[in-house]
Amino acid sequence: MTAASQSPSVRRLTLQILRCDPQQPEAAARLQPFQLDEAPGMTLYLALNEIRDTQDPSLQFDFVCRAGICGSCGMMINGRPGLACRTLTANLPSLITLAPLPGFELIGDLSVNTGKWMRGMSERLESWIHSSEEVDPCRLETPMEPELAEQIYELERCIECGCCIAGCGTAQMRSDFAGAVGLNQIARFRLDPRDERSDDELYRLVGDDDGVFGCMTLLGCQDLCPKSLPLQTQIAYLRRKMAALGIT
Amino acid sequence: MSARGVTTAPVDAVRIDRCARSSRVPAMLDMTQSLSGLLLALFMWGHMLFVSSILLGKEAMYVVTKTFEGYYLFGRSYPWIVSLAVACVLLLLVLHAALALRKFPADYRQHRAIVRHSINLRHGDTWLWLVQLYTGFAMFFLASAHLFFMLTHPAEIGPYASSDRVWSGGWWPIYLLLLLAVELHGSIGLYRLTMKWGWLQGRDALAGRRRLIRAKWGITLFFLLLGLLTLGAYIKIGIEHRDQLGERYRIGWQSVPGGEPRLSAESCRCG
Ligand code: HEM
């Protein structure tokens, strides 16, 4: 026992981690408990690394940036999606249950393939600038109003961590639903003057029940987005624009 | 595989897809669902205010009833006017329910997914949707039963007729459940409408949402309370009136043999 664990001011944490290896389908998924002492300022990222370093090197989870920018460490924390690197253990009870984000292909334990899902979504919704203009890298770009650039940047902050999909009841019921991350992309490119697509063309991408009309406004995305993106207002705005085409 | 190599011009499926105007039906369905929900919810507010006139006394409710039978307009009662109104509401309800079916969990797997998700997430608005789902499902039966009865018995509305149905007719459990279902479903639905279309939120969308959710609970409580008091009033009259079952409420001038006299200011007074 370490000195710290005897001190009454240090909490002993139990992390129950859902272990599952899809490579070994015969081994059923199970919750495995790990114990460790809480350290000041400890995030789940730090706790998981400590467990992997000192207790079980086979534990799988994803991290890159440790600063809430890369979107790799999304997981279910006591049943709710969140980024491990941005979650302080001090804000959680001493029993913490961790599970992989639902709705994505499981790589193993807490590691899921959000990249594959995001790529599929991006290809389906064609979430890139569609422009017929020849790009000349030597020429100065057409300037943009700062307010507009701000607006686009606000939506561009999405890190595609997958928390909005894991927090969306609609997406959990219907796997083809584009989700807030996809609809936010469309809202973002709609704002961008460099993207020449008309609303008619965007309607083709999101004008059905797998797109914006599938959203049932459960607002899990809005309330659980680690980047606090204004998803509810964006989806409502997109819905108004797309619905307007229905009466023209 | 034919080696003759007759080549028709290759059809560029992608190009055709791009030229085709994609269906506007999903947009229409989405708007129709919202509009039907909105109309039903507003109708239910009016309905509750009219029904609760019993709290002001039997005469007040009787006057409301006669108004809707066209008595004060035509000088005679035409209960088929009530049937007509009921038919419209029934149509609206069928439309709304049919559109809502698009959102129902389609099978056991989807239902399990949404229930598990809600339990794990502990998230208010997700719970509210489940409440809407179940109350909506209950209304398939409760609302249909009520509307069908009113459609076919439009004349059986009145201080005694209604109270007898509630109590001696044994309808009170249906009305109680229907009250709970409608008030929860309607006010949650109106709140969802504001979020879904981005209405009434003001500049600060988050503050607007907090205001709207408070308003939603306020509306739920107000109508639930009013509804319970109203149902209580009908039950009370129903119990008191159980031995005169079938007798209809009359105000003074109606005890004149020969039925309802021509309406005049003085004859309208209660006896
Ligand atoms: C058989 C009866 C009914 C069923 C099955 C039903 C079902 C539903 C369902 C499942 C939803 C959620 C739709 C979604 O998430 O997109 C909904 C929405 C709604 N319902 Fe109903 N409902 C019924 C009756 C009523 C009644 C009587 C009212 C009025 C009090 C009402 C008012 C609303 C409103 C305002 C909405 C929100 C509309 C929207 O989201 O676009 N519904 N209904």
Side-chain angles (χ1 to χ4, degrees), chain B residues 33-34 37 40-41 44 96 100 129 132 136 139-140 185 189 196:
Chain B
Q33 165 159 21
S34 288
L40 282 168
M44 290 316 304
H96 178 76
W129 189 80
Q132 220 177 351
M139 279 192 283
F140 275 125
H185 187 99
K196 180 172 176 177

Side-chain angles (χ1 to χ4, degrees), chain A residues 217 219 222-223 230-237 240, chain B residues 125 190-213:
Chain A
T217 323
L219 299 180
Q222 164 80 40
D223 295 336
L231 296 169
Q232 178 258 325
T233 47
Q234 289 309 313
I235 296 174
Y237 182 73
R240 290 202 298 273
Chain B
D125 285 39
L190 287 175
Y191 162 72
R192 193 180 308 290
L193 272 182
T194 63
M195 292 295 117
K196 180 172 176 177
W197 296 98
W199 294 336
L200 306 178
Q201 281 182 276
R203 259 175 195 287
D204 181 349
L206 294 181
R209 180 170 167 208
R210 278 194 295 276
R211 255 197 331 271
L212 285 163
I213 208 145

Side-chain angles (χ1 to χ4, degrees), chain B residues 34-104:
Chain B
S34 288
L35 189 66
S36 59
L38 178 67
L39 291 177
L40 282 168
L42 296 180
F43 167 76
M44 290 316 304
W45 284 3
H47 181 277
M48 178 56 80
L49 294 180
F50 298 135
V51 172
S52 64
S53 59
I54 195 73
L55 295 173
L56 300 178
K58 294 182 191 115
E59 192 194 347
M61 194 254 171
Y62 185 81
V63 169
V64 170
T65 309
K66 287 286 143 192
T67 307
F68 284 111
E69 288 175 357
Y71 180 69
Y72 298 104
L73 211 57
F74 307 118
R76 267 198 62 188
S77 294
Y78 294 104
W80 59 262
I81 299 177
V82 175
S83 287
L84 197 69
V86 173
C88 292
V89 174
L90 189 58
L91 216 66
L92 207 55
L93 185 85
V94 169
L95 183 69
H96 178 76
L99 290 170
L101 276 183
R102 298 173 307 142
K103 309 291 177 176
F104 269 65

Side-chain angles (χ1 to χ4, degrees), chain B residues 225-236:
Chain B
L225 208 68
L226 187 60
L228 287 173
L229 285 174
T230 300
L231 187 57
Y234 285 110
I235 289 178
K236 181 164 173 288

Side-chain angles (χ1 to χ4, degrees), chain A residues 76-81 126 165-170 172-174 200 203-204 207-209 213-220 222-224 232-233 235-237 239-240 242-248, chain B residues 17-31 101-106 109-111 113-114 117 120-126 129 191-192 194-199 201 205-206 209:
Chain A
M76 297 303 269
I77 304 161
N78 286 342
R80 314 183 93 193
E126 304 181 14
I165 300 301
C168 172
T170 311
Q172 293 308 310
M173 277 201 286
R174 306 186 172 94
D200 263 324
Y203 185 95
R204 209 168 35 75
D208 60 17
D209 282 353
F213 303 128
C215 167
M216 304 195 299
T217 323
L218 279 66
L219 299 180
Q222 164 80 40
D223 295 336
L224 293 158
Q232 178 258 325
T233 47
I235 296 174
Y237 182 73
R239 183 173 229 137
R240 290 202 298 273
M242 294 297 112
L245 294 181
I247 38 181
T248 52
Chain B
D17 187 38
R18 296 224 160 147
C19 297
R21 191 181 128 116
S22 44
S23 169
R24 297 299 194 239
V25 172
M28 288 306 296
L29 297 182
D30 198 47
M31 285 186 285
L101 276 183
R102 298 173 307 142
K103 309 291 177 176
F104 269 65
R109 192 194 64 78
Q110 286 190 357
H111 184 252
I114 187 71
H117 172 77
N120 282 334
L121 210 59
R122 307 183 305 282
H123 173 251
D125 285 39
T126 301
W129 189 80
Y191 162 72
R192 193 180 308 290
T194 63
M195 292 295 117
K196 180 172 176 177
W197 296 98
W199 294 336
Q201 281 182 276
L206 294 181
R209 180 170 167 208

